[in-house]
Amino acid sequence: MLRLYNTLTRREEPFAPAQGNTIRMYACGPTVYARAHIGNFRTFVCVDVLRRTLKHVCGHEVRQAVNYTDVDDKTIAGAQQAGVPLRAFTDGWIQAFREDAAALGLETPEETPRATDDANLRAMSDLVLALERNGHTYRRDGSIYFRISTLPAYGTLARLDREGMQDGARVDVDEYTKDDPRDFVLWKGERPGEPSWDFGTGPGRPGWHIECSAMALRLLGEPPIDIHAGGVDLIFPHHENEIAQSEGATGKPFARVWVHVEHLFVEHEKMSKSLGNVYTLADVAARGHRRSALRYLLLSAHYRTQLNFTWTGMDQAEEALRRIVDCLARLDEVPPGDAHVPVLEAVAAARQAFQSALEDDVNTAAALAAVFDLVRDVNAAIDARTVSATDAGVVRRAIEDFDRVLGVVGLRQAEDARPPMPVEEIERIVQARQAARQRRDFAAADRIRRELAERGILLEDNPGGTRWKKK
Ligand code: AMP
Ligand code: ZN
């Protein structure tokens, strides 16, 4: 049986769905104002592995919602800077996210709501009004705030010391006036130049926290939902506030299990724009690495440990993945014949170890160790000529089953099978880059270079012009 670490209780607990065989799961999705970075994708890949574990190891059905935060301070500022309407601005980033998610082999969740869809804005407004009816709110200058002193359980998830929370500096600070610095905004009153809606709250826009509570409750049914997930930075205030809103409105617990993924670091430093160490998938590809290797790296450590991204680590991930793929290729060459008991035993042991590892709080590091034990045993048996085509089928099926959860081998095979780009298209893109350089638009030129690198084409600028070659 699966055991999952629950941030709410700070313990590993046996896990089963509350209703029937279906897991109702919500994961906070990206804020769509820029390309998501590989740190964001660590969380999304780990949540994807959890989803696949629930389906393929535990045999559950999964109903998962992952939202797009398409209205907040950053998206509004981005749209203003770009001079386009908010919805058009976030459309582009949603598309970019979908492409990256597909390239990393993320399964598409059953629900991918946008906060600004009418049905969701309506649900947010209704939730705010329910909180108002239940006496958890106050209004100030057109905005509506959650008064946390009305909810004694506030702070349970983050284990906040209620007295210690008096210091407003650490709490959700924004420019709006609040009675108490710990209070947070539910609905932001209308401001010039900002989008505004009114479904009964008065004109304005939703606060970030209410978006997730409302979409989770609308799309996943009666609370409590089974699992709520996100990165560790969301525990406070975001998830604490989501709980306050949902429980304050419904009077029922919001989520049974809270799963939090630790951060990705880069060369031992926290990934941040100011340090210039924020990498996107395109940056990783530009260094000649494939998405399958990145996915491998992101899931290679247990999700509750910090993971340090290095280029050496990427090389090792490439190498590890190659070992699995090479072993599969060797299996295609073995002669026909009867099964060999030691090979069958190695497969059975690997299956057992793989399952136990994932049932132990989704321990992907141990699950991969089980895969590599099998690869090592099979390689040794091939060297000793004690593997037949019958055995090969059994090993291949096991690795296919493992890959239903890991999703790296299939991704690599799909990358290998992709046809190269037509030469005319490369030439056309190189010309477009040349034109960008001539008008001194180096940002565009760089972007084109990166995009080509991502598709396996490297450019070399010489005095006589630009040459391209296959990676
Ligand atoms: P955002 O787009 O900022 O709302 O973040 C999307 C998701 O990425 C959230 O679940 C964050 O907790 C997560 N996240 C942000 N930075 C990192 C990081 N360095 N490592 C892992 N997850 C992260
Ligand atoms: Zn959220």
Side-chain angles (χ1 to χ4, degrees), residues 278-424:
V278 173
Y279 297 121
T280 63
L281 263 68
D283 298 328
V284 174
R287 293 267 199 135
H289 292 292
R290 291 192 270 180
R291 308 305 204 282
S292 51
L294 179 61
R295 178 176 169 105
Y296 179 96
L297 180 70
L298 294 177
L299 62 72
S300 62
H302 186 239
Y303 74 91
R304 283 200 295 118
T305 58
Q306 288 175 353
L307 173 61
N308 185 38
F309 177 87
T310 63
W311 294 109
T312 319
M314 270 310 298
D315 291 338
Q316 287 163 350
E318 292 278 357
E319 187 52 40
L321 195 46
R322 190 167 308 125
R323 270 178 64 206
I324 306 176
V325 175
D326 285 353
C327 179
L328 287 171
R330 288 188 82 192
L331 287 171
D332 290 340
E333 311 286 315
V334 298
D338 291 338
H340 292 81
V341 172
V343 178
L344 301 186
E345 282 175 353
V347 170
R351 280 187 179 275
Q352 176 63 46
F354 187 84
Q355 169 152 353
S356 315
L358 290 174
E359 284 181 342
D360 178 16
D361 194 27
V362 199
N363 189 342
T364 45
L368 284 173
V371 177
F372 285 107
D373 282 349
L374 179 64
V375 166
R376 188 200 53 226
D377 290 351
V378 168
N379 277 331
I382 295 175
D383 293 343
R385 299 181 189 285
T386 53
V387 180
S388 67
T390 312
D391 300 315
V394 175
V395 175
R396 227 181 269 122
R397 267 194 300 284
I399 292 185
E400 271 166 26
D401 285 344
F402 298 157
D403 203 52
R404 275 181 232 287
V405 177
L406 302 173
V408 287
V409 177
L411 198 58
R412 166 58 55 102
Q413 285 163 344
E415 287 164 351
D416 285 344
R418 200 158 298 144
M421 243 168 124
V423 172
E424 305 82 78

Side-chain angles (χ1 to χ4, degrees), residues 52 89 131:
R52 289 162 175 254
F89 175 75
L131 286 168

Side-chain angles (χ1 to χ4, degrees), residues 26-29 67 69 208-209 211-213 228-229 234 238-239 242:
Y26 187 92
C28 295
N67 69 293
T69 297
W208 172 36
H209 313 303
E211 298 182 12
C212 286
S213 296
H228 196 311
L234 299 188
H238 185 53
H239 288 164
E242 278 193 47

Side-chain angles (χ1 to χ4, degrees), residues 28-31 37 39-40 42-44 230-231 233-234 262-264 271:
C28 295
T31 307
H37 58 66
N40 301 134
R42 181 190 189 194
T43 292
F44 297 124
D233 54 311
L234 299 188
E262 256 298 347
H263 272 165
L264 181 74
M271 196 179 323

